[in-house]
Amino acid sequence: MNYHFIINPRSGNAKNIDAYEAIIGATCGRHGADYTIKHTKNQGHERVLAKEAVQQKAHVVVAVGGDGTINHIASELVGTETRLGIIPKGSGNGLANELGIPRNPAKACAALFASRPMSIDVGKMNDQYFFNIAGIGLDAQVAALFNDPSRKQRGIFPYVYLSLREVLRFKPIDVE
């Protein structure tokens, strides 16, 4: 099997990229797996890398990032034979937590090789796929602010700060 790891260096606290690569290399080596590692360069680049991996007949594309990275990569895998793997590296890691994937990168990488494929539900709203949850209103506003490419601070504390600030500022919207 061949594995294409797509690492979002900006996910989570944006540290220890070399450690993730070392863990991936060592784990793939132990399992005799062919693998490539690519890094995203900007928001949306993970989609391009995932499409390329599918075209190259990757067996598994592994998202190394948070829920946004996972969502973009998984969206490109819907309807293909390529499987999704996850190594959590985000601020919240909601989907990885729901699936019981360890937050520790070495344990998550080991679990990738020990696990069996499973199906998960996929939703679609406004022609965009989503996995785990979709938010509108306040939730979407906080996510948009947090994911702004100009935002330098990552991690759970900036997310909580934005959430609290927006609770005070947000004006309800009409939805249809």
Side-chain angles (χ1 to χ4, degrees):
M1 286 184 97
N2 62 45
Y3 293 77
H4 286 239
F5 291 83
I6 299 173
I7 299 176
N8 181 347
R10 194 166 182 268
S11 284
N13 62 14
K15 295 180 182 173
N16 299 327
I17 302 306
D18 292 339
Y20 278 84
E21 287 189 5
I23 291 165
I24 290 166
T27 306
C28 287
R30 278 194 303 278
H31 292 276
D34 291 327
Y35 71 98
T36 60
I37 298 175
K38 303 261 175 119
H39 295 249
T40 61
K41 295 179 180 159
N42 51 48
Q43 195 173 39
H45 187 225
E46 58 271 70
R47 288 181 179 272
V48 173
L49 296 175
K51 280 182 190 176
E52 288 173 0
V54 169
Q55 290 169 349
Q56 295 168 9
K57 306 288 189 223
H59 293 107
V60 181
V61 175
V62 183
V64 184
D67 288 323
T69 302
I70 294 165
N71 195 70
H72 288 158
I73 291 171
S75 292
E76 299 302 328
L77 304 183
V78 172
T80 74
E81 295 296 316
T82 304
R83 297 178 188 159
L84 172 69
I86 299 171
I87 297 178
K89 189 186 165 303
S91 299
N93 301 305
L95 182 57
N97 290 337
E98 288 297 321
L99 295 173
I101 299 170
R103 289 184 72 107
N104 175 288
K107 290 180 180 178
C109 206
L112 180 68
F113 287 93
S115 65
R116 292 178 303 157
M118 70 163 130
S119 297
I120 63 170
D121 291 330
V122 176
K124 193 172 189 181
M125 184 183 336
N126 293 339
D127 295 322
Q128 292 185 28
Y129 291 110
F130 64 91
F131 308 82
N132 195 32
I133 62 169
I136 61 171
L138 176 63
D139 182 48
Q141 173 70 13
V142 171
L145 291 169
F146 186 76
N147 290 319
D148 181 333
S150 66
R151 181 171 240 343
K152 301 293 183 224
Q153 293 179 314
R154 305 298 294 169
I156 192 68
F157 295 114
Y159 193 86
V160 170
Y161 166 76
L162 284 173
S163 298
L164 294 174
R165 186 185 80 186
E166 291 305 306
V167 162
L168 301 174
R169 292 183 179 179
F170 189 75
K171 303 279 188 258
I173 59 172
D174 292 329
V175 294
E176 191 176 307

